[in-house]
Amino acid sequence: MLDDRKLAVLRAIVEDYVSTNEPVGSKALAERHNLKVSPATVRNDMAALEEQGYITQPHTSAGRVPTDKGYRLFVDRLSQVKPLSAAERRAIETFLAGAVDLDDVVMRTVRLLAQLTRQVAVVQYPTLNRSTVRHVELVPLHDRRVMLVLITNMGRVEQRVVELPEVVEEHRVAHMRGVLNDCLDGCGLSCVPEQVADLPQRLPIEERPAMATILSVLLETLVERHDEKIVFAGAANLAGADFSVGLRDVLEALEEQVVLMRLLGETSSDTPSALTVRIGSENAYTGLRGTSIVATGYGQGDNQLARLGVLGPTRMDYPVTMGAVRAVARYVSQILAAS
Amino acid sequence: MLDDRKLAVLRAIVEDYVSTNEPVGSKALAERHNLKVSPATVRNDMAALEEQGYITQPHTSAGRVPTDKGYRLFVDRLSQVKPLSAAERRAIETFLAGAVDLDDVVMRTVRLLAQLTRQVAVVQYPTLNRSTVRHVELVPLHDRRVMLVLITNMGRVEQRVVELPEVVEEHRVAHMRGVLNDCLDGCGLSCVPEQVADLPQRLPIEERPAMATILSVLLETLVERHDEKIVFAGAANLAGADFSVGLRDVLEALEEQVVLMRLLGETSSDTPSALTVRIGSENAYTGLRGTSIVATGYGQGDNQLARLGVLGPTRMDYPVTMGAVRAVARYVSQILAAS
DNA sequence: ACTTGGCACTCGGGAACACAGAGTGCTAGG
DNA sequence: CCTAGCACTCTGTGTTCCCGAGTGCCAAGT
């Protein structure tokens, strides 16, 4: 049905179209790639490919352009991820190594990825799920207000101001802090709720209402931040590429955390560490037809922390983009593991 | 030189051009605004205005368009800030009131401003300058690693991992924490350096190297974060408006923290709480011709914390935009003061 | 059975052209 | 100083025309 030569033709079409941004005709194809066959033969193959929906022509008597289905086949079977050059690798490494804290790591990563791929890069903050509690701090602010600070082993810091139901003396606060830390130190975030379940009962009665309030805020914090912040960079790269659909929609999607989240995460369930590519209409989000997403999870081995990727026009250089995404994911995993 | 009627004509031109986005001609002007004079008279006035550089015509025999100088005059003398409607005010208030921490306040503010003005909103994080130290925390991570956490009265939290020159026992860390807090609690950030200057001398000799390292990181943190993070939102609003210059440049400028910083801050020195408007070429940044910036400081009274504003096409509705920026600045100041 | 050359056909896009309409500057008169 | 009239100058749009790239199909060759 699709013999080797037809596949070669499809590959050639994708490659040419990606690099020239113009519909590619049979003659040019036969010349540029040494297919050893005449344009007429190529035309026949093209007709077959079009028949099956892998390519299409914008108008009668124009060259062919890959369809989403065509790109899909190309990505799945006709291309292989292109590794980065040694120079690029070194650049990544040194750039990421300079990060001072988690915010900085994420910021650098997203910029790096944007620059490397010349697309829009998207990075999700490491989820709290697998983290453990490193330290809990209660800082008295006023009589009835304390700041709750939660420090995790990933270097992440969560903070909340808590309004207490009644005035609590400083030494009480100090005591509660001690109890909290004894109870939670080293404990995984996911098991915090059960750990603290009976905590108020173990306290002197005058501390119980305050502790109950604090705990409710603490639990709320954990739940709220469960799906995490997302940042992006490289929006300027959108300006060059012309989308079939207005780029207003794309920009809107980028600023909508929830949408972005879904786009990155959609296929993360089965094999989180694999590269996933969503092409054009596969996105199932109106306004993102014409854009593709290349994403992968990052984190150490089976301990996947979150996802990162890039978003660009469907007509992108998949092998290179995939190589960059994979490489950056590896390096950032490494950096995070080291801290 | 510029009598009242000429000014009225200029005002009318600006208003019409802003709302229609088309060069405005003498006839339409004489009709739409009741100027009580004939088109011919208007033409004479226009000729004078053009002579002095307030308006220009794209081509011979097209209507007139305001120049940057024209907008400037309009903003300075011909318009007055348009206050928001009561409904808008209420919306702002309730939206901002829901914020849970500083990050959230900033995030909500920038989104709100973007939505309100339908432009790109830019908000600078409150500077640390005027803050005071609320609490310093040292959390042991490994033998030779502690996390330094600095909590300010603005609810801001800074964190850094510190590599110690030698192993330090936990009770030593606790002691150092106590000393640090005694020394710094309530102290303004700007006077931290002098406060800690002789601190190592007052410690037992075994703690001195560790404390010296910690202090150097602490001071570094204060300096580094001195000019602050900036966030923006509403980039999608750029897609609609067509800039004379490509929007690629605008997007690039937005992602370049330093540039953004300069744009917001340029005129903050003299009267920080006033609205400042920079129109088109006044920006002195290539690639931002065609864009204007409306900004103001926020914070309580003379205690200016940082700046916020919007960026949009030169052809924007200045009275409305200025009203929105001013209102949002007031509300966010209020919110921050309350916490 | 597949490949190849030939040939007629189809469109898209650019160049040339005309034209209507909006807007101007100028001048003369109120 | 304002106004009416007039000639002039553009831009933008619609029309037409033509070139060329590219196709589909058919018949001949291997």
Side-chain angles (χ1 to χ4, degrees):
Chain A
M1 198 165 198
L2 280 184
D3 58 27
D4 283 355
R5 199 189 54 215
K6 288 195 183 61
L7 292 178
V9 168
L10 177 56
R11 178 202 275 116
I13 290 174
V14 172
E15 286 172 355
D16 270 26
Y17 181 63
V18 164
S19 69
T20 66
N21 196 17
E22 272 169 15
V24 23
S26 55
K27 192 174 160 193
L29 250 194
E31 285 171 3
R32 294 182 32 130
H33 307 259
N34 48 355
L35 291 177
K36 318 267 193 194
V37 291
S38 75
T41 309
V42 174
R43 279 205 290 280
N44 288 332
D45 291 347
M46 282 172 146
L49 286 169
E50 180 161 20
E51 174 75 20
Q52 302 185 44
Y54 293 109
I55 55 178
T56 184
Q57 41 190 344
H59 345 273
T60 321
S61 110
R64 301 307 215 288
V65 166
T67 61
D68 289 352
K69 189 178 171 189
Y71 283 118
R72 165 56 54 200
L73 184 59
F74 174 81
V75 168
D76 287 347
R77 298 184 43 200
L78 302 179
S79 68
Q80 51 191 41
V81 177
K82 191 180 167 201
L84 298 184
S85 72
E88 286 171 313
R89 287 232 194 81
R90 247 175 298 124
I92 294 180
E93 211 157 358
T94 58
F95 186 59
L96 286 185
V100 300
D101 63 8
L102 184 65
D103 273 342
D104 204 24
V105 170
V106 173
M107 175 79 96
R108 281 169 186 254
T109 303
V110 72
R111 298 202 163 199
L112 178 67
L113 196 52
Q115 202 177 337
L116 222 48
T117 60
R118 305 212 153 268
Q119 316 270 12
V120 180
V122 182
V123 176
Q124 178 186 5
Y125 265 72
T127 164
L128 292 175
N129 268 345
R130 313 293 188 115
S131 310
T132 59
V133 175
R134 177 73 77 187
H135 187 75
V136 180
E137 181 62 33
L138 289 177
V139 184
L141 298 183
H142 300 119
D143 285 351
R144 296 182 39 186
R145 214 183 253 170
V146 300
M147 176 172 285
L148 169 68
V149 181
L150 176 71
I151 304 174
T152 76
N153 67 335
M154 296 298 307
R156 178 151 198 141
V157 176
E158 294 290 333
Q159 42 168 317
R160 276 294 197 299
V161 172
V162 183
E163 297 282 348
L164 299 180
E166 59 193 23
V167 176
V168 177
E169 294 159 57
E170 288 220 9
H171 74 271
R172 294 270 177 216
V173 174
H175 176 245
M176 289 193 287
R177 171 174 57 208
V179 173
L180 266 178
N181 275 300
D182 288 346
C183 171
L184 294 179
D185 198 23
C187 150
L189 290 197
S190 49
C191 65
V192 164
E194 57 184 276
Q195 283 287 327
V196 301
D198 66 337
L199 217 164
Q201 273 76 54
R202 308 205 310 256
L203 291 181
I205 194 154
E206 39 306 15
E207 290 179 6
R208 288 186 192 170
M211 181 56 92
T213 308
I214 290 169
L215 289 182
S216 76
V217 172
L218 174 61
L219 295 180
E220 186 183 296
T221 305
L222 293 180
V223 173
E224 250 175 42
R225 297 288 165 122
H226 185 226
D227 15 276
E228 282 308 328
K229 265 204 303 187
I230 282 193
V231 296
F232 69 90
N237 294 326
L238 288 175
D242 47 357
F243 286 86
S244 53
V245 64
L247 95 179
R248 157 154 218 143
D249 292 317
V250 179
L251 284 169
E252 271 171 5
L254 281 175
E255 293 201 340
E256 210 52 58
Q257 308 262 341
V258 188
V259 173
L260 214 50
M261 200 65 211
R262 286 251 324 276
L263 290 177
L264 265 190
E266 250 168 3
T267 47
S268 70
S269 53
D270 41 353
T271 53
S273 67
L275 277 170
T276 58
V277 181
R278 299 198 76 78
I279 296 167
S281 53
E282 296 174 4
N283 277 317
Y285 176 72
T286 301
L288 252 58
R289 259 189 309 277
T291 69
S292 286
I293 291 165
V294 176
T296 186
Y298 68 89
Q300 281 299 299
D302 53 339
N303 181 17
Q304 289 294 308
L305 294 171
R307 296 176 67 76
L308 58 78
V310 308
L311 179 153
T314 308
R315 182 189 79 75
M316 72 162 73
D317 188 335
Y318 291 95
V320 168
T321 305
M322 290 167 80
V325 169
R326 196 176 63 182
V328 169
R330 280 184 187 160
Y331 280 109
V332 68
S333 300
Q334 213 170 298
I335 293 280
L336 284 178
S339 63
Chain B
M1 198 166 198
L2 280 184
D3 57 29
D4 282 355
R5 199 188 54 214
K6 288 193 181 63
L7 292 179
V9 168
L10 176 56
R11 177 201 278 118
I13 289 174
V14 172
E15 286 172 355
D16 270 24
Y17 181 62
V18 164
S19 70
T20 66
N21 195 18
E22 272 169 17
V24 21
S26 54
K27 192 174 159 194
L29 250 194
E31 284 172 5
R32 294 182 31 130
H33 307 259
N34 49 356
L35 292 176
K36 318 266 190 194
V37 291
S38 75
T41 309
V42 174
R43 279 205 290 280
N44 288 333
D45 291 347
M46 282 173 146
L49 286 169
E50 180 162 22
E51 174 76 19
Q52 302 186 45
Y54 293 109
I55 57 179
T56 185
Q57 42 190 347
H59 345 275
T60 321
S61 112
R64 301 308 215 290
V65 165
T67 61
D68 289 352
K69 188 178 171 190
Y71 283 118
R72 166 55 55 199
L73 184 59
F74 175 81
V75 167
D76 287 346
R77 296 184 43 199
L78 303 179
S79 69
Q80 52 191 41
V81 177
K82 189 180 167 201
L84 297 184
S85 72
E88 285 172 314
R89 288 231 194 82
R90 246 175 298 125
I92 294 180
E93 211 156 356
T94 58
F95 187 59
L96 285 186
V100 300
D101 64 7
L102 183 65
D103 273 342
D104 204 24
V105 170
V106 173
M107 176 79 96
R108 282 169 185 253
T109 303
V110 73
R111 298 201 164 201
L112 179 67
L113 196 51
Q115 202 177 337
L116 222 48
T117 60
R118 305 212 154 267
Q119 318 268 12
V120 179
V122 182
V123 176
Q124 178 185 4
Y125 264 72
T127 166
L128 293 175
N129 269 344
R130 312 293 188 111
S131 310
T132 59
V133 175
R134 175 74 75 185
H135 187 74
V136 180
E137 182 61 33
L138 289 178
V139 184
L141 296 183
H142 301 119
D143 286 351
R144 295 180 42 183
R145 213 182 254 170
V146 299
M147 176 171 286
L148 170 67
V149 181
L150 176 71
I151 304 173
T152 76
N153 67 333
M154 296 299 307
R156 178 151 197 141
V157 176
E158 294 290 333
Q159 43 168 316
R160 274 294 196 299
V161 173
V162 184
E163 296 282 347
L164 299 180
E166 59 192 23
V167 176
V168 177
E169 295 159 57
E170 288 221 8
H171 74 270
R172 294 270 179 218
V173 173
H175 176 244
M176 289 193 288
R177 172 174 57 206
V179 173
L180 266 178
N181 276 301
D182 288 347
C183 172
L184 293 179
D185 197 24
C187 149
L189 290 197
S190 49
C191 64
V192 164
E194 58 183 275
Q195 283 286 329
V196 301
D198 66 336
L199 215 165
Q201 273 77 53
R202 307 204 310 254
L203 291 181
I205 195 154
E206 330 62 293
E207 291 180 5
R208 288 186 192 170
M211 182 55 93
T213 309
I214 290 170
L215 289 181
S216 76
V217 171
L218 175 61
L219 295 180
E220 187 184 294
T221 304
L222 294 180
V223 173
E224 250 175 40
R225 297 290 166 120
H226 184 226
D227 12 278
E228 283 307 328
K229 266 204 304 188
I230 282 193
V231 296
F232 69 90
N237 294 326
L238 288 176
D242 47 357
F243 286 86
S244 52
V245 64
L247 96 179
R248 159 156 215 138
D249 293 317
V250 179
L251 284 170
E252 271 172 4
L254 280 175
E255 293 201 341
E256 209 53 58
Q257 308 263 340
V258 188
V259 173
L260 215 49
M261 201 64 213
R262 286 251 322 278
L263 291 176
L264 265 190
E266 250 168 4
T267 46
S268 69
S269 52
D270 40 356
T271 52
S273 67
L275 278 170
T276 59
V277 180
R278 299 197 75 78
I279 295 166
S281 53
E282 296 173 7
N283 277 318
Y285 177 71
T286 300
L288 252 57
R289 258 189 309 277
T291 70
S292 288
I293 290 165
V294 176
T296 186
Y298 68 89
Q300 279 301 297
D302 53 339
N303 182 17
Q304 289 293 307
L305 294 172
R307 296 177 66 76
L308 59 77
V310 309
L311 178 152
T314 307
R315 182 188 78 76
M316 72 162 72
D317 187 335
Y318 290 95
V320 168
T321 305
M322 291 167 79
V325 169
R326 196 176 63 183
V328 169
R330 280 183 187 161
Y331 280 109
V332 68
S333 300
Q334 212 171 299
I335 293 280
L336 285 178
S339 63

